[in-house]
Amino acid sequence: MSPVAGPGYEVVPGGPADAFRDHVVRAYQDAPGDWQKVLGEQLHFQWGVFGHPDSPRPVSLDEAGLRHLRCQLAVAGAFGLRHPAPRRILDVGCGWGATLRHLAADFPDCPRLDGINISAEQLAYCAGQSDGTDRIRLYLCDAADIAGLPDGAQPYDLVLARGAITHFPPQVYESAAEALARRMRPGGLLVVSETLYSEEVLAAEQQLPPSEDHLALGHRKSLKYVTEVLRDNGFRVLDERPLPSPEDAARWVLELKSNIDAYFPHGASPPLEAIRAMAAELATALLQRRASVHSIVAERWEA
Ligand SMILES: C[S@@+](CC[C@H](N)C(=O)[O-])C[C@H]1O[C@@H](n2cnc3c(N)ncnc32)[C@H](O)[C@@H]1O
């Protein structure tokens, strides 16, 4: 089936939605203006690199978010990210579009940058930020349905998945990895940023009932699981490392909490309240190495 036209984005029909999808959609339905108070104007929502002591001056969340993305692109650069220059890029779980906008500027000769998301609210915001060219294409598409993205004859040279796998139920992650392997050029690079948990934490954790999981984080994963699925689907892991540092990651989540306290002292929406409630515990887990933020660069294996 071919995609159906939508307001600033196309809709990629997929298989039956898993029950968790609505949950994720609800986590991102608040006004972008509310999220900007918490995350910063640019709406990067995948941790930040503050980089002290090199940068003793205050570093904003916007700057820290962009630095994190740039650090990951620099790591991928060592594995030939720019040679040959990417002709088609995909951002899986593109949020409000901050990464796509940066990549469009960073790869000015790349004619095609696709972003997929299951949040229509976020895609509508992305569409409103268009630079007037048709280089950035937006799709309301579940990661499980990547096989249905149009123009299958043109493979992806570079795929980013930053903060999205966190939300995926295991079957969605496994389907996405399989579809990505089929849609990427052999030798193409996959750049992942994920919050991961030690096997001990995962074994001991009590799952929140979905009705209380307002950030849709119920499907926690370990580094072992995330990388094994990639390997099983034809990817070679070229680099994996904690990034940002535990100290920067802890600082980032505490800054979000501090913004929520400052802007919403009398209560905020359920997802923002969930960040306020978990920030201190998550910062502690990061500093104690029970959780980590990992950067993974993997290559679509060339047989
Ligand atoms: C933590 S945000 C990260 C956003 C963005 N990548 C960034 O770095 O700012 C996670 C994003 O993944 C999207 N997402 C979650 N589950 C998805 C799925 N199954 N398919 C596509 N997108 C999904 C969410 O809607 C959200 O936009």
Side-chain angles (χ1 to χ4, degrees):
M1 228 183 311
S2 60
V4 180
Y9 54 85
E10 292 174 37
V11 181
V12 175
D18 67 274
F20 202 69
R21 189 192 296 186
D22 285 349
H23 224 64
V24 179
V25 170
R26 265 195 300 279
Y28 292 103
Q29 72 188 4
D30 288 324
D34 281 358
W35 280 101
Q36 277 170 320
K37 289 177 182 147
V38 177
L39 299 175
E41 196 66 23
Q42 297 299 317
L43 292 164
H44 287 282
F45 194 17
Q46 185 56 15
W47 305 96
V49 168
F50 295 91
H52 287 291
D54 301 340
S55 313
R57 70 195 167 78
V59 170
S60 70
L61 284 171
D62 281 335
E63 200 175 342
L66 183 55
R67 276 189 192 184
H68 179 209
L69 173 59
R70 283 196 168 130
C71 285
Q72 285 204 281
L73 294 175
V75 172
F79 297 104
L81 169 63
R82 290 167 198 275
H83 308 287
R87 304 291 298 161
R88 190 174 185 189
I89 296 175
L90 173 64
D91 188 15
V92 177
C94 64
W96 294 271
T99 300
L100 279 173
R101 290 190 290 278
H102 177 73
L103 293 174
D106 203 25
F107 294 95
D109 298 325
C110 179
R112 177 87 184 254
L113 299 97
D114 296 349
I116 68 165
N117 201 337
I118 48 171
S119 164
E121 278 82 2
Q122 290 188 312
L123 282 180
Y125 180 87
C126 293
Q129 305 291 306
S130 156
D131 64 358
T133 71
D134 65 353
R135 295 169 64 213
I136 295 184
R137 309 274 185 90
L138 303 171
Y139 299 95
L140 187 66
C141 171
D142 194 305
D145 303 321
I146 281 171
L149 283 166
D151 306 316
Q154 190 188 353
Y156 290 103
D157 303 300
L158 170 64
V159 176
L160 288 91
R162 306 181 73 245
I165 296 168
T166 290
H167 295 297
F168 297 173
Q171 69 276 14
V172 170
Y173 177 48
E174 290 161 27
S175 303
E178 192 189 337
L180 279 176
R182 274 190 269 116
R183 294 296 301 262
M184 286 175 69
R185 168 177 69 75
L189 294 183
L190 170 65
V191 175
V192 171
S193 170
E194 265 318 318
T195 312
L196 300 170
Y197 298 86
S198 69
E199 304 279 351
E200 297 72 46
V201 168
L202 294 179
E205 87 170 343
Q206 296 199 321
Q207 275 235 321
L208 268 183
S211 57
E212 289 171 35
D213 182 12
H214 298 296
L215 279 171
L217 298 177
H219 295 283
R220 294 179 174 195
K221 299 168 187 76
S222 67
L223 178 64
K224 183 167 177 279
Y225 170 71
V226 169
T227 51
E228 265 178 18
V229 169
L230 294 180
R231 291 189 180 103
D232 288 349
N233 283 285
F235 289 92
R236 177 164 37 211
V237 175
L238 301 173
D239 185 90
E240 58 89 355
R241 63 180 76 190
L243 179 74
S245 67
E247 292 73 20
D248 274 358
R251 175 174 167 182
W252 182 85
V253 72
L254 291 174
E255 285 209 13
L256 266 53
K257 177 183 179 324
S258 153
N259 285 340
I260 296 167
D261 290 344
Y263 286 104
F264 303 97
H266 306 300
S269 64
L272 296 182
E273 283 301 340
I275 295 176
R276 177 163 26 215
M278 75 175 192
E281 200 183 314
L282 181 53
T284 307
L286 288 159
L287 293 171
Q288 294 178 340
R289 313 301 196 257
R290 289 182 288 116
S292 65
V293 184
H294 258 78
S295 165
I296 301 167
V297 176
E299 177 190 28
R300 172 72 182 92
W301 197 63
E302 212 159 350

